[in-house]
């Protein structure tokens, strides 16, 4: 019969269309780095310390379980005149800043050998990782073994990468304080240990980004840090022991902290002393000292030394004998000057002595804190390194 056949075909067509629509919906919600349309605006992915995040390259190789003590900053003014990836008050700090990173004494935060095994066993992931990191695939083992495992001590903006459809996808993210990363010899985060994702410096986002993922407690956009390359190669990284807040010096490329050395806190940043501004002598003083001509053309050397005034003023209209431009002597009074008054002596011994200066004023300005992340002022700002 034609009618049942027609209905069967219509039902099959509807089922096929529904299946395709469902597949497209699932593909569109997968997330993890595809650029949104112009109407949706840029995305900023919030990545907690232990979470793998979307499309991880490898299993987690993080070995650190300790959480850094929170870095409590005093209120900071909003920066002006500087550009930032998010335009939200992000500070840029040099990768060589002491205390920017943390770690545990004699313990690496990432299993580098496991990371090498993961990326060399899967050729597709290894190829995508090398492309995103700007190296050749054959250089992956040497590249990873040259990095240093540390832990972030501040929420940090990076360009993150995921692995999907045999290629690397990039997306902007904020890594939470306590995230284990591998940094290079300029102090830049290059690999996230929880997922094996390659990392790069962040890029500027146009407009206000939409946060993907739930921000953690304590997240403050104005306190997010962007790491810029240290001006020279780092041999030792000074980090904070996240267990007891002591200071450690770790050699770059030391994966297990075997060569860690306890060091004293770095010296505080000196407070600059204001330079006094030299005073400019008035024109009359300058003319008298240098003998330069005055406005009338008469120099100070042309003026005779005035005789003591007798107190008798010349009659009105009498011309002065002094050359033009010379000062006229001021007549003094003929009355004798009164004798100086002797200071009176207090009759009782209860008179109060003159106030003494507070000895505390001699200590000078307060020193900057030992921990540079507690400073209110940016340490090393280099907005020009941000990519647009």
């Amino acid at each position: 019969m034609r009618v049942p056949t027609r209905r069967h075909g219509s039902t099959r067509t509807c089922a096929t269309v529904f299946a395709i629509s469902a597949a497209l919906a699932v593909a569109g919600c997968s997330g993890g780095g595809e650029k949104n349309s112009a109407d949706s605006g840029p995305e900023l992915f919030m990545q907690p310390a232990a979470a793998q995040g979307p499309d991880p390259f490898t299993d987690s190789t993080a070995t650190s379980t300790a959480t850094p003590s929170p870095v409590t900053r005093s209120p900071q003014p909003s920066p002006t005149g500087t550009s930032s990836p998010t335009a939200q008050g992000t500070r840029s700090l040099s990768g060589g800043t002491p205390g920017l990173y943390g770690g545990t004494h004699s313990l690496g935060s990432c299993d580098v050998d496991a990371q090498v095994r993961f990326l060399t066993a899967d050729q597709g992931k290894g190829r995508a990782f090398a492309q995103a990191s700007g190296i050749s695939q054959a250089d992956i083992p040497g590249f990873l073994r040259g990095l240093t495992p540390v832990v972030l001590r501040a929420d940090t903006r990076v360009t993150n990468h995921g692995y999907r459809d045999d290629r690397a996808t990039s997306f902007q993210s904020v890594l939470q304080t306590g995230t284990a990363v591998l940094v290079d010899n300029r102090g830049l985060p290059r690999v996230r240990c929880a997922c094996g994702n390659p990392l790069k410096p962040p890029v500027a986002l146009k407009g206000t980004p939409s946060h993907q993922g739930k921000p953690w407690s304590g997240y403050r956009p104005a306190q997010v840090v962007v790491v810029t390359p240290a001006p020279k190669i780092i041999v030792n990284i000074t980090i904070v022991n996240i267990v007891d807040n002591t200071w450690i010096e770790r050699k770059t490329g030391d994966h297990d902290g075997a060569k860690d050395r306890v060091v004293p806190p770095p010296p505080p940043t000196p407070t600059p002393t204001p330079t006094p501004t030299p005073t400019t002598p008035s024109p009359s003083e300058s003319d008298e000292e240098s003998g330069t001509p005055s406005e009338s053309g008469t120099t100070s050397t042309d003026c005779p030394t005035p005789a003591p005034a007798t107190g008798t003023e010349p009659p009105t209209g009498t011309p002065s004998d002094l050359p033009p431009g010379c000062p006229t002597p001021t007549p003094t009074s003929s009355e004798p000057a009164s004798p100086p008054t002797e200071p009176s002596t207090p009759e009782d011994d209860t008179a109060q002595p003159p106030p003494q200066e507070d000895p505390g004023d001699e200590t000078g300005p307060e020193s900057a804190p030992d921990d540079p992340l507690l400073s209110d002022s940016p340490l090393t700002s280099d907005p020009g390194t941000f990519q647009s």
Side-chain angles (χ1 to χ4, degrees):
M1 297 176 62
R2 294 181 179 180
V3 174
T5 302
R6 188 179 297 112
R7 290 179 179 176
H8 181 71
S10 177
T11 302
R12 181 181 300 173
T13 302
C14 292
T16 303
V17 172
F18 178 81
I20 295 175
S21 300
L24 292 175
V26 172
C29 296
S30 59
E34 296 298 332
K35 293 183 179 180
N36 296 340
S37 64
D39 295 336
S40 60
E43 290 182 322
L44 188 61
F45 285 81
M46 310 299 296
Q47 302 221 267
Q52 279 194 315
D55 305 323
F57 264 78
T58 67
D59 293 339
S60 176
T61 58
T63 59
S64 176
T65 57
T67 302
S69 56
V71 179
T72 304
R73 299 181 183 89
S74 55
Q76 302 175 24
S78 299
T80 57
T82 59
S83 61
S84 67
T86 59
Q88 294 176 317
T90 303
R91 292 198 306 166
S92 61
L93 300 179
S94 168
T97 303
L100 176 61
Y101 299 115
T104 304
H105 190 273
S106 300
L107 178 64
S109 58
C110 184
D111 189 340
V112 177
D113 290 332
Q115 193 70 56
V116 173
R117 290 194 300 268
F118 281 137
L119 292 175
T120 54
D122 191 314
Q123 293 298 312
K125 289 184 177 180
R127 182 170 52 253
F129 180 93
Q131 184 178 6
S133 300
I135 60 175
S136 67
Q137 189 170 353
D139 290 339
I140 288 178
F143 170 73
L144 291 174
R145 292 191 173 103
L147 303 179
T148 308
V150 293
V151 174
L152 300 180
R153 294 189 64 237
D155 296 342
T156 305
R157 271 271 278 115
V158 295
T159 295
N160 208 333
H161 295 82
Y163 179 75
R164 187 199 304 168
D165 299 332
D166 297 329
R167 65 185 183 89
T169 59
S170 64
F171 55 99
Q172 299 303 302
S173 67
V174 177
L175 305 183
Q176 184 187 14
T177 301
T179 299
V181 295
L182 296 174
V183 299
D184 61 14
N185 58 8
R186 298 282 183 169
L188 291 177
R190 299 304 303 271
V191 179
R192 184 168 180 255
C193 302
C195 53
N197 291 359
L199 304 175
K200 282 186 175 181
V203 298
L205 296 177
K206 296 180 180 179
T208 302
S210 60
H211 292 77
Q212 301 300 317
K214 183 179 180 181
W216 43 85
S217 175
Y219 170 68
R220 301 291 183 271
Q223 295 179 357
V224 173
V225 166
V226 169
V227 182
T228 58
K232 59 182 181 180
I233 293 177
I234 303 172
V235 178
N236 299 296
I237 299 179
T238 303
I239 63 178
V240 174
N241 191 334
I242 60 179
V243 176
D244 55 10
N245 286 331
T246 57
W247 292 80
I248 303 172
E249 189 177 75
R250 175 169 293 178
K251 290 187 176 295
T252 53
D254 184 4
H255 303 154
D256 54 8
K259 300 179 181 180
D260 284 353
R261 187 168 65 94
V262 178
V263 293
T269 304
T271 303
T273 303
T275 304
T277 304
T279 58
T280 304
S282 61
S284 59
E285 292 178 353
S286 177
D287 293 343
E288 292 178 3
E289 293 178 0
S290 61
T292 56
S294 62
E295 295 180 357
S296 61
T298 304
T299 63
S300 58
T301 55
D302 297 333
C303 300
T305 303
T310 60
T312 305
E313 298 182 2
T316 304
T318 303
S320 173
D321 295 334
L322 294 177
C326 292
T328 304
T330 303
T332 59
S333 174
S334 58
E335 298 180 0
S338 59
T341 304
E342 297 192 7
S344 59
T345 304
E347 298 181 358
D348 56 348
D349 296 335
T350 61
Q352 297 295 329
Q356 300 292 331
E357 295 184 359
D358 186 0
D361 295 339
E362 299 177 0
T363 59
E366 183 181 355
S367 300
D370 293 337
D371 191 342
L373 286 184
L374 299 179
S375 175
D376 286 346
S377 58
L379 298 178
T380 304
S381 180
D382 189 9
T385 60
F386 303 144
Q387 303 174 9
S388 57

